[in-house]
Amino acid sequence: MVKFVSVQNIVDLIQANGLEPFLQRLADYVEADFRRWGLFDKAPRVAAHSRDGVIELMPASDGNSYSFKYVNGHPKNPLMGLQTVTAFGVLADVDTGYPQMLSEMTIATALRTAVTSALAAKYLARPDAETMAIIGLGAQSEFQALAFSALLGVKKLRVFDTDAEATAKFKTNVGWLDLDIAYAASTEEAVLGADIITTITADKQNATILSDNMVGAGVHINAVGGDCPGKTELQRDILLRGDVFVEFPEQTRIEGEIQQMEPDFPVTELWQVITGQAAGRKSRDQITIFDSVGFAVEDFSTLRLVHDCIQGTPFYTDIDLIVAPDDPRNLFGLLAPVAGQGAGEGFHP
Ligand code: NAD
């Protein structure tokens, strides 16, 4: 049997653990996997592009377990009442190749994206950073606000979205969090005085959410929304002024902000900073940019945590996904007519 973790199961699991403690545990799992980066079998995700979006498969393996995530990105979906991003994932045993767990990953993706952003900022933002601007108040935004608050103590936010409904939704959702929030009338106003700028908008184009003149010395930019060919948020000049940190260069050069740059544009891999093999922030005035696109190892960590957490709980059901005949070679026997019932009459729709 394969363990199936539904959307409701994930919600119940997180509520049973507490949202902030769950985020903290996820942050520990993601950081632990970044620390053993070299062990992983890694590849850029496989993307199927269409006019309005993309569908992607994201595999990773540490040699013991294998995972993949199915995820889409369709910025026009909200106009039809649908999510921009949805996902599910599988964790499998490498020795047998058998899947162990099938899980929802739309909520899990929002959590792991926010946790990875906070992890990057822990190593790259100024240690005394206390104010973050968030540009784009869609489905991912509250997760970012919560992760930076819970994991880094960033309690002051300056936020902006072009859509008043998104802003109202954000306001309602973060009402119970211990945050000091300024609602700005423009991106320019939101980024004023911010130590960290998170861009998390959705538009299938090379947008200029942040232009060079908006970015002051010493700012850390958490650029999350540009994650697909032809879909970026930062003006190119910002990348020339700052130092860029990435998850997996082979994927980020295709999908991230640095798709705007030459193929040999210098970047530093986040795992190298986390393990002390490369420098993160070198001075107070340095502009650091985390060019986040979302990488399969982060999903692997998330599935690993969910799998560990559900053991002995009611937060999953067993599903009959894999055949199990008594004799493994007798697959056809599963289709053989039951003795005495003949071959059946056939299926007539
Ligand atoms: P969403 O559609 O729910 O929200 C996007 C928001 O951006 C909307 O509220 C929209 O009004 C706002 N927006 C668009 N243009 C804007 C502008 N010029 N200024 C201010 N606000 C603007 O999308 P989401 O699910 O929150 O995802 C946001 C982005 O993050 C998407 O592009 C998605 O692909 C990306 N994403 C990245 C990762 C990663 O790991 N890097 C993970 C998940 C999602």
Side-chain angles (χ1 to χ4, degrees), residues 299-330:
D299 300 313
F300 178 95
S301 316
T302 309
L303 287 165
R304 198 162 66 77
L305 172 63
V306 171
H307 191 249
D308 288 352
C309 285
I310 59 171
Q311 307 302 324
T313 74
F315 305 131
Y316 69 90
T317 46
D318 284 320
I319 56 167
D320 183 18
L321 191 65
I322 299 298
V323 294
D326 292 338
D327 173 358
R329 288 160 304 180
N330 191 14

PDB file of all heavy atoms in Angstrom, residues 299-330:
ATOM      1  N   ASP A 299      11.856  20.112  -2.384  1.00  0.00           N
ATOM      2  CA  ASP A 299      10.643  19.282  -2.367  1.00  0.00           C
ATOM      3  C   ASP A 299      10.941  17.927  -1.742  1.00  0.00           C
ATOM      4  O   ASP A 299      10.122  17.375  -1.000  1.00  0.00           O
ATOM      5  CB  ASP A 299      10.107  19.098  -3.792  1.00  0.00           C
ATOM      6  CG  ASP A 299       9.767  20.432  -4.414  1.00  0.00           C
ATOM      7  OD1 ASP A 299       9.106  21.244  -3.747  1.00  0.00           O
ATOM      8  OD2 ASP A 299      10.191  20.678  -5.553  1.00  0.00           O
ATOM      9  N   PHE A 300      12.124  17.404  -2.020  1.00  0.00           N
ATOM     10  CA  PHE A 300      12.570  16.150  -1.412  1.00  0.00           C
ATOM     11  C   PHE A 300      12.541  16.302   0.119  1.00  0.00           C
ATOM     12  O   PHE A 300      12.002  15.452   0.833  1.00  0.00           O
ATOM     13  CB  PHE A 300      13.986  15.827  -1.908  1.00  0.00           C
ATOM     14  CG  PHE A 300      14.584  14.584  -1.323  1.00  0.00           C
ATOM     15  CD1 PHE A 300      14.505  13.375  -1.995  1.00  0.00           C
ATOM     16  CD2 PHE A 300      15.246  14.617  -0.096  1.00  0.00           C
ATOM     17  CE1 PHE A 300      15.067  12.216  -1.463  1.00  0.00           C
ATOM     18  CE2 PHE A 300      15.809  13.468   0.452  1.00  0.00           C
ATOM     19  CZ  PHE A 300      15.719  12.272  -0.236  1.00  0.00           C
ATOM     20  N   SER A 301      13.131  17.396   0.626  1.00  0.00           N
ATOM     21  CA  SER A 301      13.170  17.639   2.076  1.00  0.00           C
ATOM     22  C   SER A 301      11.749  17.696   2.638  1.00  0.00           C
ATOM     23  O   SER A 301      11.472  17.171   3.719  1.00  0.00           O
ATOM     24  CB  SER A 301      13.846  18.973   2.395  1.00  0.00           C
ATOM     25  OG  SER A 301      14.996  19.172   1.643  1.00  0.00           O
ATOM     26  N   THR A 302      10.862  18.346   1.899  1.00  0.00           N
ATOM     27  CA  THR A 302       9.486  18.528   2.367  1.00  0.00           C
ATOM     28  C   THR A 302       8.761  17.191   2.428  1.00  0.00           C
ATOM     29  O   THR A 302       8.088  16.876   3.430  1.00  0.00           O
ATOM     30  CB  THR A 302       8.750  19.504   1.421  1.00  0.00           C
ATOM     31  OG1 THR A 302       9.549  20.666   1.265  1.00  0.00           O
ATOM     32  CG2 THR A 302       7.386  19.876   1.961  1.00  0.00           C
ATOM     33  N   LEU A 303       8.928  16.386   1.383  1.00  0.00           N
ATOM     34  CA  LEU A 303       8.276  15.069   1.371  1.00  0.00           C
ATOM     35  C   LEU A 303       8.852  14.184   2.477  1.00  0.00           C
ATOM     36  O   LEU A 303       8.136  13.420   3.137  1.00  0.00           O
ATOM     37  CB  LEU A 303       8.455  14.410  -0.002  1.00  0.00           C
ATOM     38  CG  LEU A 303       7.594  15.036  -1.099  1.00  0.00           C
ATOM     39  CD1 LEU A 303       8.076  14.603  -2.484  1.00  0.00           C
ATOM     40  CD2 LEU A 303       6.114  14.663  -0.929  1.00  0.00           C
ATOM     41  N   ARG A 304      10.157  14.286   2.699  1.00  0.00           N
ATOM     42  CA  ARG A 304      10.820  13.528   3.766  1.00  0.00           C
ATOM     43  C   ARG A 304      10.215  13.909   5.124  1.00  0.00           C
ATOM     44  O   ARG A 304       9.902  13.033   5.946  1.00  0.00           O
ATOM     45  CB  ARG A 304      12.316  13.897   3.722  1.00  0.00           C
ATOM     46  CG  ARG A 304      13.240  12.968   4.424  1.00  0.00           C
ATOM     47  CD  ARG A 304      14.681  13.190   3.936  1.00  0.00           C
ATOM     48  NE  ARG A 304      15.298  14.476   4.264  1.00  0.00           N
ATOM     49  CZ  ARG A 304      15.782  14.800   5.458  1.00  0.00           C
ATOM     50  NH1 ARG A 304      15.707  13.956   6.446  1.00  0.00           N
ATOM     51  NH2 ARG A 304      16.338  15.980   5.660  1.00  0.00           N
ATOM     52  N   LEU A 305      10.021  15.213   5.351  1.00  0.00           N
ATOM     53  CA  LEU A 305       9.429  15.653   6.619  1.00  0.00           C
ATOM     54  C   LEU A 305       8.000  15.142   6.757  1.00  0.00           C
ATOM     55  O   LEU A 305       7.615  14.616   7.809  1.00  0.00           O
ATOM     56  CB  LEU A 305       9.456  17.190   6.715  1.00  0.00           C
ATOM     57  CG  LEU A 305       8.697  17.775   7.913  1.00  0.00           C
ATOM     58  CD1 LEU A 305       9.309  17.330   9.235  1.00  0.00           C
ATOM     59  CD2 LEU A 305       8.663  19.304   7.841  1.00  0.00           C
ATOM     60  N   VAL A 306       7.209  15.303   5.689  1.00  0.00           N
ATOM     61  CA  VAL A 306       5.806  14.863   5.755  1.00  0.00           C
ATOM     62  C   VAL A 306       5.765  13.353   6.041  1.00  0.00           C
ATOM     63  O   VAL A 306       5.010  12.893   6.909  1.00  0.00           O
ATOM     64  CB  VAL A 306       5.050  15.205   4.447  1.00  0.00           C
ATOM     65  CG1 VAL A 306       3.667  14.559   4.428  1.00  0.00           C
ATOM     66  CG2 VAL A 306       4.933  16.720   4.283  1.00  0.00           C
ATOM     67  N   HIS A 307       6.608  12.598   5.360  1.00  0.00           N
ATOM     68  CA  HIS A 307       6.641  11.141   5.553  1.00  0.00           C
ATOM     69  C   HIS A 307       7.001  10.804   6.997  1.00  0.00           C
ATOM     70  O   HIS A 307       6.384   9.930   7.619  1.00  0.00           O
ATOM     71  CB  HIS A 307       7.636  10.510   4.574  1.00  0.00           C
ATOM     72  CG  HIS A 307       7.549   9.025   4.505  1.00  0.00           C
ATOM     73  ND1 HIS A 307       8.529   8.194   4.980  1.00  0.00           N
ATOM     74  CD2 HIS A 307       6.573   8.202   4.046  1.00  0.00           C
ATOM     75  CE1 HIS A 307       8.177   6.930   4.799  1.00  0.00           C
ATOM     76  NE2 HIS A 307       6.992   6.907   4.227  1.00  0.00           N
ATOM     77  N   ASP A 308       7.986  11.495   7.563  1.00  0.00           N
ATOM     78  CA  ASP A 308       8.368  11.252   8.959  1.00  0.00           C
ATOM     79  C   ASP A 308       7.225  11.618   9.910  1.00  0.00           C
ATOM     80  O   ASP A 308       6.974  10.919  10.892  1.00  0.00           O
ATOM     81  CB  ASP A 308       9.616  12.072   9.338  1.00  0.00           C
ATOM     82  CG  ASP A 308      10.886  11.516   8.689  1.00  0.00           C
ATOM     83  OD1 ASP A 308      10.818  10.429   8.073  1.00  0.00           O
ATOM     84  OD2 ASP A 308      11.939  12.184   8.791  1.00  0.00           O
ATOM     85  N   CYS A 309       6.545  12.716   9.612  1.00  0.00           N
ATOM     86  CA  CYS A 309       5.515  13.233  10.530  1.00  0.00           C
ATOM     87  C   CYS A 309       4.238  12.397  10.540  1.00  0.00           C
ATOM     88  O   CYS A 309       3.525  12.394  11.545  1.00  0.00           O
ATOM     89  CB  CYS A 309       5.120  14.659  10.145  1.00  0.00           C
ATOM     90  SG  CYS A 309       6.317  15.887  10.580  1.00  0.00           S
ATOM     91  N   ILE A 310       3.915  11.766   9.436  1.00  0.00           N
ATOM     92  CA  ILE A 310       2.600  11.077   9.390  1.00  0.00           C
ATOM     93  C   ILE A 310       2.632   9.693  10.037  1.00  0.00           C
ATOM     94  O   ILE A 310       1.573   9.132  10.317  1.00  0.00           O
ATOM     95  CB  ILE A 310       2.040  10.942   7.947  1.00  0.00           C
ATOM     96  CG1 ILE A 310       3.012  10.150   7.058  1.00  0.00           C
ATOM     97  CG2 ILE A 310       1.693  12.307   7.380  1.00  0.00           C
ATOM     98  CD1 ILE A 310       2.424   9.796   5.689  1.00  0.00           C
ATOM     99  N   GLN A 311       3.841   9.162  10.300  1.00  0.00           N
ATOM    100  CA  GLN A 311       3.905   7.817  10.883  1.00  0.00           C
ATOM    101  C   GLN A 311       3.108   7.790  12.186  1.00  0.00           C
ATOM    102  O   GLN A 311       3.281   8.639  13.050  1.00  0.00           O
ATOM    103  CB  GLN A 311       5.369   7.411  11.176  1.00  0.00           C
ATOM    104  CG  GLN A 311       6.314   7.532   9.989  1.00  0.00           C
ATOM    105  CD  GLN A 311       5.882   6.701   8.778  1.00  0.00           C
ATOM    106  OE1 GLN A 311       5.348   5.608   8.915  1.00  0.00           O
ATOM    107  NE2 GLN A 311       6.092   7.242   7.591  1.00  0.00           N
ATOM    108  N   GLY A 312       2.228   6.788  12.301  1.00  0.00           N
ATOM    109  CA  GLY A 312       1.455   6.607  13.532  1.00  0.00           C
ATOM    110  C   GLY A 312       0.381   7.648  13.758  1.00  0.00           C
ATOM    111  O   GLY A 312      -0.101   7.823  14.872  1.00  0.00           O
ATOM    112  N   THR A 313       0.039   8.409  12.706  1.00  0.00           N
ATOM    113  CA  THR A 313      -1.018   9.423  12.848  1.00  0.00           C
ATOM    114  C   THR A 313      -2.198   9.063  11.928  1.00  0.00           C
ATOM    115  O   THR A 313      -2.047   8.217  11.030  1.00  0.00           O
ATOM    116  CB  THR A 313      -0.522  10.832  12.418  1.00  0.00           C
ATOM    117  OG1 THR A 313      -0.438  10.857  10.986  1.00  0.00           O
ATOM    118  CG2 THR A 313       0.819  11.176  13.036  1.00  0.00           C
ATOM    119  N   PRO A 314      -3.324   9.731  12.125  1.00  0.00           N
ATOM    120  CA  PRO A 314      -4.440   9.493  11.197  1.00  0.00           C
ATOM    121  C   PRO A 314      -4.364  10.367   9.947  1.00  0.00           C
ATOM    122  O   PRO A 314      -5.335  10.428   9.195  1.00  0.00           O
ATOM    123  CB  PRO A 314      -5.661   9.867  12.048  1.00  0.00           C
ATOM    124  CG  PRO A 314      -5.160  10.823  13.064  1.00  0.00           C
ATOM    125  CD  PRO A 314      -3.692  10.604  13.241  1.00  0.00           C
ATOM    126  N   PHE A 315      -3.209  11.031   9.714  1.00  0.00           N
ATOM    127  CA  PHE A 315      -3.146  12.030   8.647  1.00  0.00           C
ATOM    128  C   PHE A 315      -2.748  11.451   7.292  1.00  0.00           C
ATOM    129  O   PHE A 315      -2.009  12.084   6.520  1.00  0.00           O
ATOM    130  CB  PHE A 315      -2.223  13.181   9.047  1.00  0.00           C
ATOM    131  CG  PHE A 315      -2.595  13.818  10.354  1.00  0.00           C
ATOM    132  CD1 PHE A 315      -1.647  14.033  11.339  1.00  0.00           C
ATOM    133  CD2 PHE A 315      -3.915  14.174  10.610  1.00  0.00           C
ATOM    134  CE1 PHE A 315      -2.002  14.599  12.545  1.00  0.00           C
ATOM    135  CE2 PHE A 315      -4.282  14.744  11.821  1.00  0.00           C
ATOM    136  CZ  PHE A 315      -3.323  14.957  12.801  1.00  0.00           C
ATOM    137  N   TYR A 316      -3.162  10.230   7.005  1.00  0.00           N
ATOM    138  CA  TYR A 316      -2.990   9.653   5.670  1.00  0.00           C
ATOM    139  C   TYR A 316      -3.937   8.481   5.528  1.00  0.00           C
ATOM    140  O   TYR A 316      -4.479   7.981   6.528  1.00  0.00           O
ATOM    141  CB  TYR A 316      -1.542   9.186   5.434  1.00  0.00           C
ATOM    142  CG  TYR A 316      -1.115   7.989   6.248  1.00  0.00           C
ATOM    143  CD1 TYR A 316      -1.285   6.689   5.760  1.00  0.00           C
ATOM    144  CD2 TYR A 316      -0.556   8.146   7.512  1.00  0.00           C
ATOM    145  CE1 TYR A 316      -0.889   5.583   6.508  1.00  0.00           C
ATOM    146  CE2 TYR A 316      -0.166   7.043   8.263  1.00  0.00           C
ATOM    147  CZ  TYR A 316      -0.340   5.769   7.765  1.00  0.00           C
ATOM    148  OH  TYR A 316       0.039   4.687   8.505  1.00  0.00           O
ATOM    149  N   THR A 317      -4.135   8.040   4.288  1.00  0.00           N
ATOM    150  CA  THR A 317      -4.864   6.788   4.060  1.00  0.00           C
ATOM    151  C   THR A 317      -3.988   5.910   3.170  1.00  0.00           C
ATOM    152  O   THR A 317      -3.167   6.416   2.406  1.00  0.00           O
ATOM    153  CB  THR A 317      -6.216   7.033   3.338  1.00  0.00           C
ATOM    154  OG1 THR A 317      -5.989   7.936   2.250  1.00  0.00           O
ATOM    155  CG2 THR A 317      -7.262   7.601   4.262  1.00  0.00           C
ATOM    156  N   ASP A 318      -4.160   4.612   3.307  1.00  0.00           N
ATOM    157  CA  ASP A 318      -3.438   3.687   2.433  1.00  0.00           C
ATOM    158  C   ASP A 318      -4.211   3.574   1.135  1.00  0.00           C
ATOM    159  O   ASP A 318      -5.436   3.387   1.153  1.00  0.00           O
ATOM    160  CB  ASP A 318      -3.326   2.311   3.090  1.00  0.00           C
ATOM    161  CG  ASP A 318      -2.270   2.313   4.187  1.00  0.00           C
ATOM    162  OD1 ASP A 318      -1.215   2.942   3.987  1.00  0.00           O
ATOM    163  OD2 ASP A 318      -2.512   1.699   5.245  1.00  0.00           O
ATOM    164  N   ILE A 319      -3.505   3.710   0.010  1.00  0.00           N
ATOM    165  CA  ILE A 319      -4.190   3.532  -1.276  1.00  0.00           C
ATOM    166  C   ILE A 319      -3.567   2.377  -2.051  1.00  0.00           C
ATOM    167  O   ILE A 319      -2.371   2.087  -1.933  1.00  0.00           O
ATOM    168  CB  ILE A 319      -4.234   4.814  -2.140  1.00  0.00           C
ATOM    169  CG1 ILE A 319      -2.829   5.366  -2.388  1.00  0.00           C
ATOM    170  CG2 ILE A 319      -5.143   5.854  -1.533  1.00  0.00           C
ATOM    171  CD1 ILE A 319      -2.790   6.414  -3.479  1.00  0.00           C
ATOM    172  N   ASP A 320      -4.429   1.776  -2.849  1.00  0.00           N
ATOM    173  CA  ASP A 320      -4.080   0.585  -3.612  1.00  0.00           C
ATOM    174  C   ASP A 320      -3.524   1.051  -4.961  1.00  0.00           C
ATOM    175  O   ASP A 320      -4.208   1.014  -5.973  1.00  0.00           O
ATOM    176  CB  ASP A 320      -5.400  -0.201  -3.770  1.00  0.00           C
ATOM    177  CG  ASP A 320      -5.200  -1.510  -4.485  1.00  0.00           C
ATOM    178  OD1 ASP A 320      -4.063  -1.977  -4.561  1.00  0.00           O
ATOM    179  OD2 ASP A 320      -6.217  -2.061  -4.970  1.00  0.00           O
ATOM    180  N   LEU A 321      -2.251   1.508  -4.963  1.00  0.00           N
ATOM    181  CA  LEU A 321      -1.682   2.111  -6.168  1.00  0.00           C
ATOM    182  C   LEU A 321      -0.777   1.140  -6.918  1.00  0.00           C
ATOM    183  O   LEU A 321      -0.559   1.287  -8.120  1.00  0.00           O
ATOM    184  CB  LEU A 321      -0.870   3.358  -5.770  1.00  0.00           C
ATOM    185  CG  LEU A 321      -0.395   4.276  -6.881  1.00  0.00           C
ATOM    186  CD1 LEU A 321      -1.575   4.938  -7.590  1.00  0.00           C
ATOM    187  CD2 LEU A 321       0.528   5.367  -6.325  1.00  0.00           C
ATOM    188  N   ILE A 322      -0.248   0.155  -6.186  1.00  0.00           N
ATOM    189  CA  ILE A 322       0.749  -0.748  -6.776  1.00  0.00           C
ATOM    190  C   ILE A 322       0.224  -2.180  -6.723  1.00  0.00           C
ATOM    191  O   ILE A 322      -0.252  -2.631  -5.666  1.00  0.00           O
ATOM    192  CB  ILE A 322       2.068  -0.659  -5.973  1.00  0.00           C
ATOM    193  CG1 ILE A 322       2.620   0.768  -6.039  1.00  0.00           C
ATOM    194  CG2 ILE A 322       3.110  -1.655  -6.491  1.00  0.00           C
ATOM    195  CD1 ILE A 322       2.986   1.246  -7.425  1.00  0.00           C
ATOM    196  N   VAL A 323       0.333  -2.890  -7.823  1.00  0.00           N
ATOM    197  CA  VAL A 323      -0.161  -4.278  -7.862  1.00  0.00           C
ATOM    198  C   VAL A 323       0.629  -5.137  -6.880  1.00  0.00           C
ATOM    199  O   VAL A 323       1.809  -4.883  -6.617  1.00  0.00           O
ATOM    200  CB  VAL A 323      -0.021  -4.901  -9.274  1.00  0.00           C
ATOM    201  CG1 VAL A 323      -0.912  -4.200 -10.273  1.00  0.00           C
ATOM    202  CG2 VAL A 323       1.434  -4.908  -9.734  1.00  0.00           C
ATOM    203  N   ALA A 324      -0.040  -6.171  -6.327  1.00  0.00           N
ATOM    204  CA  ALA A 324       0.648  -7.067  -5.392  1.00  0.00           C
ATOM    205  C   ALA A 324       0.139  -8.499  -5.567  1.00  0.00           C
ATOM    206  O   ALA A 324      -0.461  -9.075  -4.635  1.00  0.00           O
ATOM    207  CB  ALA A 324       0.435  -6.575  -3.958  1.00  0.00           C
ATOM    208  N   PRO A 325       0.363  -9.106  -6.740  1.00  0.00           N
ATOM    209  CA  PRO A 325      -0.068 -10.507  -6.893  1.00  0.00           C
ATOM    210  C   PRO A 325       0.793 -11.423  -6.007  1.00  0.00           C
ATOM    211  O   PRO A 325       1.937 -11.072  -5.698  1.00  0.00           O
ATOM    212  CB  PRO A 325       0.179 -10.800  -8.381  1.00  0.00           C
ATOM    213  CG  PRO A 325       1.222  -9.810  -8.794  1.00  0.00           C
ATOM    214  CD  PRO A 325       1.060  -8.597  -7.933  1.00  0.00           C
ATOM    215  N   ASP A 326       0.263 -12.590  -5.608  1.00  0.00           N
ATOM    216  CA  ASP A 326       1.037 -13.494  -4.748  1.00  0.00           C
ATOM    217  C   ASP A 326       2.334 -13.892  -5.439  1.00  0.00           C
ATOM    218  O   ASP A 326       3.382 -13.966  -4.824  1.00  0.00           O
ATOM    219  CB  ASP A 326       0.207 -14.752  -4.424  1.00  0.00           C
ATOM    220  CG  ASP A 326      -0.974 -14.398  -3.518  1.00  0.00           C
ATOM    221  OD1 ASP A 326      -0.878 -13.344  -2.840  1.00  0.00           O
ATOM    222  OD2 ASP A 326      -1.980 -15.129  -3.514  1.00  0.00           O
ATOM    223  N   ASP A 327       2.236 -14.167  -6.750  1.00  0.00           N
ATOM    224  CA  ASP A 327       3.434 -14.467  -7.537  1.00  0.00           C
ATOM    225  C   ASP A 327       3.733 -13.216  -8.381  1.00  0.00           C
ATOM    226  O   ASP A 327       2.939 -12.854  -9.260  1.00  0.00           O
ATOM    227  CB  ASP A 327       3.141 -15.670  -8.459  1.00  0.00           C
ATOM    228  CG  ASP A 327       4.290 -15.917  -9.434  1.00  0.00           C
ATOM    229  OD1 ASP A 327       5.280 -15.145  -9.420  1.00  0.00           O
ATOM    230  OD2 ASP A 327       4.185 -16.874 -10.224  1.00  0.00           O
ATOM    231  N   PRO A 328       4.879 -12.552  -8.115  1.00  0.00           N
ATOM    232  CA  PRO A 328       5.153 -11.289  -8.816  1.00  0.00           C
ATOM    233  C   PRO A 328       5.119 -11.415 -10.335  1.00  0.00           C
ATOM    234  O   PRO A 328       4.849 -10.433 -11.034  1.00  0.00           O
ATOM    235  CB  PRO A 328       6.557 -10.905  -8.347  1.00  0.00           C
ATOM    236  CG  PRO A 328       6.815 -11.692  -7.131  1.00  0.00           C
ATOM    237  CD  PRO A 328       5.964 -12.917  -7.182  1.00  0.00           C
ATOM    238  N   ARG A 329       5.386 -12.639 -10.864  1.00  0.00           N
ATOM    239  CA  ARG A 329       5.393 -12.785 -12.327  1.00  0.00           C
ATOM    240  C   ARG A 329       3.991 -12.989 -12.881  1.00  0.00           C
ATOM    241  O   ARG A 329       3.773 -12.951 -14.085  1.00  0.00           O
ATOM    242  CB  ARG A 329       6.277 -13.977 -12.723  1.00  0.00           C
ATOM    243  CG  ARG A 329       7.758 -13.697 -12.525  1.00  0.00           C
ATOM    244  CD  ARG A 329       8.520 -14.981 -12.454  1.00  0.00           C
ATOM    245  NE  ARG A 329       7.975 -15.832 -11.405  1.00  0.00           N
ATOM    246  CZ  ARG A 329       8.425 -17.032 -11.086  1.00  0.00           C
ATOM    247  NH1 ARG A 329       9.432 -17.543 -11.750  1.00  0.00           N
ATOM    248  NH2 ARG A 329       7.875 -17.727 -10.119  1.00  0.00           N
ATOM    249  N   ASN A 330       3.048 -13.235 -11.972  1.00  0.00           N
ATOM    250  CA  ASN A 330       1.708 -13.541 -12.457  1.00  0.00           C
ATOM    251  C   ASN A 330       0.824 -12.291 -12.497  1.00  0.00           C
ATOM    252  O   ASN A 330      -0.250 -12.244 -11.887  1.00  0.00           O
ATOM    253  CB  ASN A 330       1.077 -14.624 -11.582  1.00  0.00           C
ATOM    254  CG  ASN A 330      -0.209 -15.161 -12.214  1.00  0.00           C
ATOM    255  OD1 ASN A 330      -0.468 -14.907 -13.403  1.00  0.00           O
ATOM    256  ND2 ASN A 330      -1.019 -15.857 -11.450  1.00  0.00           N
TER     257      ASN A 330
END
